[in-house]
């Protein structure tokens, strides 16, 4: 789809045997309601690493603008020797090289091998102001850094152009279930993907069981993927019943990769391998899971559905920074742990992240690099004791725990909404 504008999908079942791709900013696919407009994706062959519907930009990354001074967590201003090529409103990446020193400082020697020696974008930002009247030049960012950006690791800013903007999917039902054996013939297929986008949304979308779906299945494997993107809102979306829940990145219903400032609000995931998940490599921060429900997460060993273990919603890979699970229901599990060599060297998966006001019959395990937080629970089993799991290796001190079984009286009920109210009350512009 290359025209832009609102593409209205009338009520009915829309069978899609091929793949759909949106490549123009300002394009919105809009149904007449998730109980009226049904998208039925039928393709099963060649679906490894592919989405049935993809909103995709064509990001181009500019040259290094090295930092002149170390950046610290909480900084909105970074200092560079030469900001001549940067202007207010530019989209930029702030990142650094995954150096041996960076790896060693986190106790991940021999684990963080996939990205070793490579420059990685840790934060996706927009420039609010450039001040060249001083040396070093000052760049004011829309969102603070959430982790130290060190000269030791070649920290720098890079201009990014080509992201798709103002795109969305709303008020539809989606399905991709096929024959179970065929579903297990591909890895990491998704129903919908947003890749290289900004200021995008998914709203009022549900999964459904298409005609002939075995056992009421909804999705071949993955549901929604948000990758290399920023400022994406997923609202009132409910995904369930993944067929392929084996190893290889399957059954991830809500998946965020290398993205920042993503809000997943009033959503539920049921019967995936990992219902809500941050995945693969560095560069995810500022993700909020607000009023979510995670239930019946299960890892399976075959198409026949044999159960191996509880499938937790989790931080899955390489140091997701300063994320929040807020005012949410857990009927299976949420985890932030040192996954060591699993998943090609995930290692420490989270740092500075918060579990706030969780309730349900499930559990939360928080063994984060540095310090993590579990505050306010109701019924949820809390695991933070460093001697309990091997996944605690290198995560001392134990994460902060407060208000166990006192979640019903926790104030504020939602940390995200309380902070948002304070910021709006000050008249602060959240982003340009």
């Amino acid at each position: 789809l290359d025209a832009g504008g609102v593409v209205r999908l009338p009520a009915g079942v829309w069978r899609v045997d091929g793949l759909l791709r949106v490549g123009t900013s300002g394009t919105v696919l809009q149904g007449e309601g998730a109980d009226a407009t049904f998208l039925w994706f039928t393709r099963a062959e060649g679906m490894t690493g592919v989405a049935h519907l993809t909103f995709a930009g064509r990001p181009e990354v500019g040259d290094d603008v090295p930092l002149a001074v170390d950046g610290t967590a909480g900084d909105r201003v970074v200092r560079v020797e030469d900001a001549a090529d940067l202007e207010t409103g530019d989209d930029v990446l702030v990142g650094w090289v995954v150096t041996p020193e960076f790896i060693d400082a986190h106790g991940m020697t021999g684990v963080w091998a996939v990205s070793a020696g490579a420059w990685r974008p840790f934060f996706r930002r927009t420039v609010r102001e450039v001040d060249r009247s001083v040396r070093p030049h000052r760049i004011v960012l829309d969102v603070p850094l959430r982790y130290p950006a060190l000269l030791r690791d070649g920290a720098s800013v890079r201009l990014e152009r080509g992201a798709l903007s103002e795109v969305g999917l709303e008020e539809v039902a989606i399905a991709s279930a096929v024959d179970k054996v065929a579903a297990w013939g591909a890895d990491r297929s998704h129903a919908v993907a947003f890749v290289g986008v900004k200021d995008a949304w998914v709203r009022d979308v549900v999964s459904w069981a298409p005609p002939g779906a075995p056992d009421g299945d909804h999705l071949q494997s993955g549901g929604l993927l948000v990758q290399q993107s920023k400022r994406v809102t997923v609202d009132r979306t409910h995904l369930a019943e993944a067929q392929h829940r084996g190893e290889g990145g399957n059954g991830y219903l809500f998946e965020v990769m290398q993205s920042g400032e993503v809000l997943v609000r009033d959503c539920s995931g049921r019967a995936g391998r990992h219902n809500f998940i941050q995945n693969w490599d560095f560069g995810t921060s500022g993700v909020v899971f607000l009023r979510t429900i995670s239930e019946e997460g299960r890892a399976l060993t075959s198409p026949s559905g044999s159960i191996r273990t509880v499938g937790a919603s989790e931080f899955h890979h390489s140091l997701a920074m300063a994320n929040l699970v807020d005012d949410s229901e857990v009927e299976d599990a949420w985890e932030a742990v040192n996954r060591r060599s699993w998943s090609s060297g995930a290692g420490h998966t989270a740092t500075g992240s918060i579990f706030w006001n969780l309730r349900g019959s499930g559990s939360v395990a928080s063994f984060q690099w540095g310090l993590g937080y579990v505050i306010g629970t109701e019924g949820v089993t809390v695991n933070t004791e460093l001697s309990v799991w091997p996944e605690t290796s290198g995560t001392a001190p134990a994460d902060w725990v407060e208000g166990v079984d006192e979640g019903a009286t926790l104030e504020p009920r939602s940390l995200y909404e309380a902070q948002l109210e304070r910021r709006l009350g000050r008249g602060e512009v959240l982003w340009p």
Side-chain angles (χ1 to χ4, degrees):
L1 299 172
D2 296 313
V6 178
V7 179
R8 302 190 188 279
L9 303 173
V13 177
W14 296 81
R15 176 171 172 156
V16 182
D17 295 330
L19 303 177
L20 297 179
R21 184 181 180 90
V22 175
T24 302
S25 292
T27 302
V28 179
L29 301 188
Q30 183 184 78
E32 292 189 6
D35 59 350
T37 301
F38 298 87
L39 295 180
W40 178 17
F41 302 117
T42 64
R43 176 167 163 168
E45 294 184 1
M47 288 302 298
T48 292
V50 175
H52 295 276
L53 168 60
T54 303
F55 295 76
R58 296 179 176 86
E60 297 179 357
V61 179
D63 295 334
D64 249 1
V65 181
L67 266 61
V69 178
D70 285 344
T72 60
D75 283 351
R76 282 183 181 269
V77 176
V78 294
R79 292 168 174 81
V80 301
E81 291 295 345
D82 187 0
D85 295 330
L86 297 175
E87 300 292 342
T88 299
D90 282 344
D91 292 316
V92 294
L93 306 173
V94 181
W96 53 86
V97 177
V98 182
T99 62
E101 294 79 8
F102 178 81
I103 294 171
D104 181 66
H106 294 82
M108 290 286 100
T109 299
V111 178
W112 283 345
V114 170
S115 297
W119 189 91
R120 287 290 184 258
F122 281 77
F123 306 111
R124 298 173 184 274
R125 299 291 184 259
T126 298
V127 175
R128 281 208 179 157
E129 180 185 343
V130 179
D131 183 359
R132 302 185 188 90
S133 68
V134 296
R135 284 285 185 180
H137 293 167
R138 299 169 70 252
I139 302 171
V140 183
L141 305 174
D142 61 332
V143 179
L145 305 182
R146 295 194 173 94
Y147 210 69
L150 303 181
L151 303 187
R152 177 200 69 186
D153 302 318
S156 63
V157 176
R158 295 184 180 183
L159 181 66
E160 183 182 44
R161 292 194 173 100
L164 217 61
S165 65
E166 299 291 342
V167 292
L169 175 68
E170 55 189 42
E171 299 188 52
V172 299
I174 57 173
S176 62
V178 292
D179 173 79
K180 282 186 183 290
V181 174
W184 279 68
D187 288 325
R188 289 195 53 74
S189 70
H190 289 84
V192 180
F194 284 72
V195 182
V197 307
K198 62 178 182 177
D199 303 318
W201 67 91
V202 177
R203 182 183 303 125
D204 295 312
V205 172
V206 303
S207 60
W208 65 291
D215 303 322
D217 295 335
H218 294 188
L219 303 166
Q220 285 180 37
S221 177
L224 170 66
L225 170 65
V226 177
Q227 182 177 5
Q228 297 173 353
S229 300
K230 66 182 179 183
R231 301 195 300 258
V232 178
T233 298
V234 184
D235 198 11
R236 300 188 300 271
T237 292
H238 307 283
L239 305 178
E241 299 294 346
Q243 293 180 298
H244 191 348
R245 286 185 257 169
E247 296 181 350
N250 294 289
Y252 301 173
L253 299 185
F254 294 84
E255 181 176 3
V256 180
M257 296 174 59
Q258 307 140 15
S259 298
E261 285 52 65
V262 176
L263 174 61
V264 181
R265 176 177 60 194
D266 296 311
C267 296
S268 67
R270 177 174 57 82
R273 180 183 177 93
H274 302 295
N275 293 329
F276 298 92
I277 188 170
Q278 166 272 337
N279 192 27
W280 192 249
D281 214 343
F282 300 93
T284 295
S285 71
V287 179
V288 177
F289 299 94
L290 173 63
R291 290 190 299 272
T292 60
I293 302 173
S294 181
E295 56 187 345
E296 299 180 34
R298 295 289 184 273
L300 306 181
T301 57
S302 70
S304 65
S306 50
I307 296 175
R308 186 173 67 189
T309 184
V310 171
S313 290
E314 66 179 14
F315 300 99
H316 198 69
H317 215 277
S318 297
L319 213 61
M321 300 171 175
N323 300 289
L324 171 65
V325 183
D326 187 6
D327 192 12
S328 289
E329 182 178 337
V330 187
E331 303 300 342
D332 35 40
W334 259 101
E335 295 182 358
V337 305
N338 178 1
R339 299 189 65 242
R340 302 167 292 160
S341 62
W342 300 341
S343 301
S344 302
H348 294 299
T349 61
T351 183
S353 294
I354 303 173
F355 296 100
W356 182 277
N357 196 9
L358 300 189
R359 59 195 169 276
S361 61
S363 65
V364 57
S366 187
F367 305 111
Q368 301 185 43
W369 170 257
L371 196 60
Y373 305 85
V374 181
I375 300 178
T377 64
E378 188 175 356
V380 174
T381 300
V382 178
N383 298 314
T384 59
E385 294 295 329
L386 297 183
S387 60
V388 176
W389 288 11
E391 289 81 356
T392 70
S393 174
T395 63
D399 288 346
W400 183 270
V401 179
E402 182 178 347
V404 172
D405 288 329
E406 297 177 358
T409 58
L410 182 65
E411 291 292 338
R413 180 178 181 87
S414 165
L415 182 61
Y416 168 82
E417 291 188 326
Q419 292 181 336
L420 180 64
E421 183 178 359
R422 288 177 61 186
R423 295 177 69 187
L424 292 176
R426 291 199 301 263
E428 183 176 352
V429 177
L430 298 184
W431 48 70

